């Protein structure tokens, strides 16, 4: 299974986070029971420069922040809004590739909007939320 995990750069410095860490943690408020070790993950940056900026895989099942295995990889200093409380559920991800700009190969929101399959995914049609699932065809 593949998940898209969306972050808002107005609330959290996603670019800096992906530049610092090869293992990250992401909020998993929904679909957490569906997430399994080895599932693929796409990190999506919201906003004016929206698009897929990193790929990785789940290495730690969703659990409360206070119980994660590597708290040094939380990047709590990168929050521009309120830091997550200890009971927020996070999923552990190993990052395999990061592409923060069009020049480096990020996949833009416009590219997905023009794709006959991906144009119907919720990340395009209703991008409210943090966790989205890709169908087998979309993957």
């Amino acid at each position: 299974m593949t998940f898209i995990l969306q972050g808002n750069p107005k609330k959290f410095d996603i670019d800096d986070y992906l530049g610092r860490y090869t293992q990250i943690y992401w909020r998993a408020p929904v679909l957490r029971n569906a997430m399994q070790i080895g599932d693929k993950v796409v990190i999506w940056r919201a906003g004016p420069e929206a698009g897929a900026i990193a790929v990785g895989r789940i290495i730690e099942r969703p659990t409360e922040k206070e119980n994660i295995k590597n708290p040094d990889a939380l990047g709590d200093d990168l929050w521009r809004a309120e830091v997550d409380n200890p009971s927020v559920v996070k999923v552990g991800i190993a990052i395999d590739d990061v592409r923060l700009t069009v020049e480096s190969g990020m996949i833009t929101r416009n590219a997905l909007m023009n794709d006959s399959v991906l144009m119907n995914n919720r990340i395009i049609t209703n991008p409210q939320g943090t966790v989205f699932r890709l169908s087998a065809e979309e993957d």
Side-chain angles (χ1 to χ4, degrees):
M1 187 162 300
T2 300
F3 297 92
I4 298 176
L5 304 179
Q6 177 173 235
N8 184 339
K10 290 182 181 178
K11 296 180 179 181
F12 185 79
D13 191 341
I14 301 163
D15 292 8
D16 193 4
Y17 190 41
L18 293 169
R20 285 190 202 179
Y21 301 96
T22 57
Q23 177 188 346
I24 66 169
Y25 288 94
W26 210 267
R27 285 182 185 178
V30 297
L31 299 174
R32 58 182 169 242
N33 292 330
M35 295 178 177
Q36 301 296 320
I37 302 295
D39 283 348
K40 292 187 258 179
V41 171
V42 175
I43 303 297
W44 184 272
R45 179 176 56 214
E49 297 179 0
I53 58 172
V55 293
R57 57 199 144 55
I58 294 175
I59 58 170
E60 187 177 332
R61 288 201 34 116
T63 188
E64 291 183 343
K65 178 182 171 183
E66 64 190 357
N67 297 321
I68 63 168
K69 294 177 185 174
N70 188 8
D72 291 337
L74 283 167
D76 280 343
D77 62 313
L78 299 171
W79 281 98
R80 295 175 171 146
E82 187 175 311
V83 174
D84 286 334
N85 69 55
S87 64
V88 168
V89 174
K90 301 271 192 171
V91 61
I93 302 157
I95 297 297
D96 297 322
D97 193 16
V98 177
R99 298 178 183 206
L100 300 175
T101 64
V102 171
E103 296 77 24
S104 67
M106 78 173 267
I107 300 172
T108 65
R109 182 176 193 281
N110 283 340
L112 268 64
M113 289 174 65
N114 292 316
D115 183 277
S116 62
V117 174
L118 294 167
M119 67 190 296
N120 296 313
N121 188 278
R122 267 195 50 233
I123 194 72
I124 299 302
T125 62
N126 184 20
Q128 304 302 312
T130 304
V131 180
F132 304 84
R133 191 182 329 215
L134 288 177
S135 69
E137 183 182 15
E138 292 168 330
D139 187 33

